[in-house]
Amino acid sequence: MAIDDIRIETERLILRPPNGDDFEGWAAFQADAQTMTYIGGAKSRAESWRDLCAMVGAWRVRGYGMFSLILKDSGQWIGRIGPWYPDGWPGTEVGWAVAPAFAGKGYALEAAVASMNYAVDVLGWDDICHTIDPANIASIKLAERLSSTNRGPTQLPAPFTHARVDDWGQSREQWQENRKQFQ
């Protein structure tokens, strides 16, 4: 399947590889200091452009990357979520970040379940991690809802070596059992 044909639909969302049309939402999202507290800090438009291009490039180089998260009813970009495994990363990750106006509405859980399924069923991953700052309570709660467990501190590669993160996650077999609660 061609990258541009990849599209996952949930009840309220579309998950698809990011593209240039996402830039305005992406840049506004990354400019928000609160949103970016645990994921590298607020970014300028120029930095956001490079980050978007890096994610598009990950899809081209690895065949996967985080999805753009789109509301079905409006077509609005509301975040990014999905598989992430750059060079030197401590594990095959499903990560998430939703724009603040859309937090607390269940979108992240809905998209995380679809992303976990994609990582296991399509990518064939045997393990999924979520690298989470211990102070990021919202992400910890989402990891717990997915039945992931805290497997202890881990280290991110440069330039994020200073970041304090724990490895939350589960094996393929655990997810195959845990996802039944969402069916």
Side-chain angles (χ1 to χ4, degrees), residues 46-116:
E47 290 169 312
S48 293
W49 176 254
R50 288 190 294 276
D51 284 353
L52 173 63
C53 290
M55 195 62 69
V56 170
W59 276 95
R60 300 291 177 198
V61 171
R62 291 224 191 240
Y64 61 84
M66 286 193 183
F67 297 103
S68 278
L69 189 54
I70 310 295
L71 289 178
K72 260 189 190 178
D73 63 358
S74 68
Q76 185 174 1
W77 186 95
I78 65 165
R80 61 183 188 226
I81 192 163
W84 186 235
Y85 187 52
D87 186 62
W89 214 247
T92 48
E93 178 165 18
V94 168
W96 48 75
V98 175
F102 302 95
K105 300 177 192 289
Y107 295 129
L109 177 63
E110 189 175 326
V113 168
S115 295
M116 297 278 285

Side-chain angles (χ1 to χ4, degrees), residues 143-172:
E144 290 172 338
R145 291 276 319 269
L146 295 167
S147 299
S148 290
T149 58
N150 188 338
R151 302 184 290 194
T154 192
Q155 183 71 51
L156 298 178
F160 307 108
T161 53
H162 67 281
R164 185 171 169 230
V165 294
D166 289 334
D167 171 10
W168 286 78
Q170 58 190 289
S171 70
R172 165 194 208 75

